[in-house]
Amino acid sequence: MNYENTEKLGLKPFELLLNQDRIGRRITELGRQITSDYSKETPVLVGVLKGCVVFLADLIRHIKLPLELEFVSAASYRRDSRREGQIVYGGAVAIPLEGRHVLIVEGVVDSGRTVSMILAEINKMKPASVEIVTLIDKPICHRSRLDIKYRGFSLGNEFVIGYGLDNTQKYRNLPFVGRLIEPK
Ligand code: IMP
Ligand code: MG
């Protein structure tokens, strides 16, 4: 499936990878699983901006528990820098997480460096537990061992967009997950 006018809009063409129904069904399942695993708790969901937003908004409506919501922001490189590994991070310092059950919510985990860094920051705050939730995981891309308890979908090494995920800040509003079609 292709959106029409992508080129006129200055967007690269893309194709459908995961449709809305499939994503919706999977998020419902994740919500049920989290509801059951945390049945006696009031978890704190810490969303990693900006890629988490669409997924998180859906997920919380399928968690039938009292919960709290916080956000951190992270980017794996700066706009003005090509150096990978430069993770720009902000936000968690003011959040009181001591003794709380924390779920870090990501849109996509690739090398795992971003979420590992956030995990390390959150662990400094002595939470009762921390788990990772991601809509998309790319296990073959992880650069170190990473325990991801809740994942929507596992993909290979491909760049995906939509459902909150961007390429140069665009495509986040697509209601499905797509794959950019690279020019041959
Ligand atoms: P990691 O630190 O390599 O796991 O990369 C995670 C970050 O890179 C994500 O939070 C995204 O901002 C970005 N990223 C990695 N893969 C993709 C992708 O396929 N689509 C969109 N953004 C991605
Ligand atoms: Mg990005």
Side-chain angles (χ1 to χ4, degrees):
M1 178 172 121
N2 285 318
Y3 264 31
E4 285 165 27
N5 290 327
T6 46
E7 273 162 69
K8 252 192 241 163
L9 295 168
L11 295 172
K12 296 178 197 162
F14 53 85
E15 61 189 3
L16 176 71
L17 193 61
L18 303 169
N19 72 30
Q20 233 169 325
D21 276 359
R22 202 170 156 203
I23 298 170
R25 283 198 302 275
R26 187 68 191 116
I27 294 177
T28 304
E29 288 170 4
L30 287 175
R32 279 204 200 109
Q33 199 184 341
I34 291 169
T35 303
S36 137
D37 292 352
Y38 290 82
S39 62
K40 293 183 184 64
E41 314 296 342
T42 299
V44 186
L45 275 67
V46 178
V48 183
L49 294 171
K50 303 170 196 168
C52 74
V53 290
V54 181
F55 172 47
L56 182 67
D58 283 351
L59 180 67
I60 55 173
R61 286 175 288 175
H62 290 284
I63 300 176
K64 311 296 179 188
L65 296 172
L67 61 78
E68 293 174 26
L69 205 50
E70 300 287 353
F71 291 95
V72 294
S73 60
S76 48
Y77 51 86
R78 285 201 210 121
R79 249 192 113 80
D80 61 356
S81 162
R82 295 232 166 148
R83 275 180 59 207
E84 244 200 89
Q86 183 131 36
I87 298 174
V88 184
Y89 172 72
V93 193
I95 309 174
L97 296 176
E98 188 172 344
R100 303 300 305 273
H101 293 279
V102 177
L103 287 159
I104 301 172
V105 183
E106 257 284 16
V108 55
V109 175
D110 188 280
S111 72
R113 297 180 66 250
T114 305
V115 80
S116 296
M117 190 269 291
I118 291 167
L119 186 65
E121 291 297 318
I122 287 178
N123 271 325
K124 288 182 196 162
M125 295 181 241
K126 302 191 175 13
S129 70
V130 198
E131 298 293 349
I132 297 166
V133 191
T134 187
L135 177 64
I136 306 280
D137 187 22
K138 303 186 198 172
I140 61 167
C141 300
H142 295 182
R143 288 209 216 139
S144 56
R145 219 188 88 84
L146 196 58
D147 281 324
I148 298 187
K149 185 158 185 191
Y150 306 98
R151 61 167 66 71
F153 301 91
S154 286
L155 301 180
N157 182 12
E158 51 197 330
F159 196 87
V160 290
I161 44 128
Y163 228 84
L165 306 179
D166 76 306
N167 177 241
T168 62
Q169 300 303 328
K170 306 289 192 316
Y171 308 93
R172 294 193 197 273
N173 54 326
L174 294 179
F176 51 82
V177 172
R179 169 170 42 206
L180 291 182
I181 301 165
E182 297 299 337
K184 294 206 174 97

